[in-house]
Amino acid sequence: MDTRTRRRLGALRRLGALGPLCVALVGVTVLAALTVPAAYPPLAPPTANVSEGQMISVQTPEGPWKPPLERPLDVSGPYRPPPTPYTAGHRGIDLPALPGDSVYAPTGGVVSFVGRVADRHLISIRVDSRTVVSLEPVVQGEDSLAEGDSLRRGQLIGEMSEGGHCFAECVHLGVRVDGAYVNPLRYFFGKPVLLPW
């Protein structure tokens, strides 16, 4: 097996966190396919972050998610999956922000949790039966939300406060599918682009 094929196999092994992965060798070409249950939006081919093995685009009925701050998506802390479920990693993305910045729902859903966890305020939105998005530190204003409230994409959900690993410098956004953290960036991009190896 040549060096190029070994590198491709290594990249595909790192993709293993995305779900069942079938690998077939045809000559020196490696083909990969993701198997996803029908109840979940179909996953598109990997995009720009192929080397990290996590960047795929998910199409939702409303299209890509809306950046939760009043500006284009700017990631200061990338998603870094832990090697095992119980080890250190960065289970989401950090978006630069300052206390008082308005925070909006990136997608529609139902509030599944709103309140304080340890040293920070958090809000979780259940998008569907499998997917939950959480944002922190986000504090409620006068028109505070409650569990069970419906949200629409782009609706104001609170403002950035302080706490957690962001201190007073960012909003942390995490996404769980069936209880496991995934790369949130997959929801913010429309048409995926497959880069050459």
Side-chain angles (χ1 to χ4, degrees), residues 158-191:
E159 61 182 44
M160 194 264 193
S161 60
E162 299 180 0
H165 74 270
C166 275
F167 302 106
E169 301 169 353
C170 63
V171 169
H172 177 83
L173 186 150
V175 178
R176 286 171 288 147
V177 176
D178 293 334
Y181 284 93
V182 297
N183 190 340
L185 291 181
R186 66 170 69 179
Y187 295 94
F188 288 95
F189 298 97
K191 296 180 180 178

Side-chain angles (χ1 to χ4, degrees), residues 50-161:
V50 150
S51 63
E52 291 183 22
Q54 297 298 322
M55 185 57 192
I56 56 177
S57 174
V58 175
Q59 299 299 320
T60 63
E62 344 179 88
W65 287 5
K66 180 184 187 311
L69 302 170
E70 293 179 294
R71 53 187 166 272
L73 200 65
D74 177 20
V75 178
S76 58
Y79 175 76
R80 288 186 306 276
T84 71
Y86 307 104
T87 53
H90 190 231
R91 294 166 171 86
I93 56 175
D94 293 337
L95 310 172
L98 295 172
D101 285 356
S102 296
V103 181
Y104 300 87
T107 186
V110 175
V111 176
S112 59
F113 177 83
V114 60
R116 193 171 181 87
V117 176
D119 66 337
R120 69 234 184 238
H121 294 275
L122 179 134
I123 183 167
S124 294
I125 304 165
R126 178 160 290 282
V127 179
D128 57 36
S129 63
R130 303 181 65 197
T131 312
V132 175
V133 57
S134 297
L135 297 108
E136 61 179 81
V138 177
V139 69
Q140 299 297 296
E142 293 177 8
D143 299 326
S144 61
L145 296 168
E147 292 179 23
D149 285 352
S150 292
L151 294 173
R152 65 184 184 284
R153 179 178 180 262
Q155 181 176 336
L156 180 66
I157 58 172
E159 61 182 44
M160 194 264 193
S161 60

